Amino acid sequence: MLLTKPLNDLNGFEFERLLALYFRDQGYVVHEVGIGGNDGGVDLVIVDKRGERTAVQAKCYADHNMVAVQTVRELVAAKRNHNCMLTLLVTTSDLTGPAKKEAEQFRVEYWHGGLVGQKLESWSKWRPTKKRKLV
C-alpha cells in the first residue's frame, strides 16, 4: 500500500499520488494534471481555501540525483498554463546549486528530501514499514 511504503521504495507515479493524498488531507483541492506522464512541468495544481493556485512539480530521485536548473525553469514557465500564482518543487533528493539559485530568483518554494520526510512523518496517515535515511 502506498501509505506504508518508504520514500526510497516509491516510483515517480507513486510519489506524485502520495503528494496528492497529502495535500488533500491538508485541506487543498488537488488537480492531478500531469500524474505519471508527460506533464509539461506540472504534476499537481493545489488550491487553498482562498482559491490561491500553486503549480507543483514532484521529483522522486535517489539522493545522489539532484534536480537540475532546467526543471525549475520548466515549472516557472508552466505555472501560467495552469493559471497559478505560486510554484512548489518537491523532491526526495535536493536541487543543484544553480537550481537553488534559480528557485530563489523566481520565488519557487522547494521541499528537499529531509523536509519532505519530516512533513510526511508528521502526517498521521503515512506509516512506512521501514525508515528511510533522511538528510
Side-chain angles (χ1 to χ4, degrees), residues 38-133:
N38 185 3
D39 56 35
V42 176
D43 293 308
L44 307 170
V45 172
I46 58 174
V47 185
D48 68 13
K49 290 175 175 60
R50 299 171 306 203
E52 195 165 71
R53 297 169 60 90
T54 301
V56 180
Q57 176 60 272
K59 293 295 183 188
C60 188
Y61 287 168
D63 290 339
H64 65 277
N65 189 9
M66 305 288 222
V67 177
V69 68
Q70 185 61 30
T71 301
V72 175
R73 291 176 182 157
E74 288 171 1
L75 178 57
V76 169
K79 78 176 183 178
R80 287 175 288 227
N81 297 335
H82 297 281
N83 196 27
C84 296
M85 292 297 297
L86 302 173
T87 49
L88 172 62
L89 196 151
V90 183
T91 179
T92 53
S93 64
D94 205 348
L95 280 65
T96 63
K100 286 179 182 178
K101 185 176 179 181
E102 194 103 352
E104 290 168 13
Q105 179 181 351
F106 290 102
R107 297 187 180 130
V108 174
E109 183 179 355
Y110 62 91
W111 299 352
H112 57 81
L115 182 58
V116 172
Q118 288 173 358
K119 287 183 178 291
L120 292 176
E121 285 171 8
S122 67
W123 178 39
S124 63
K125 288 190 178 175
W126 189 61
R127 296 286 179 233
T129 55
K130 58 184 175 181
K131 295 289 183 189
R132 174 182 187 202
K133 178 184 167 203

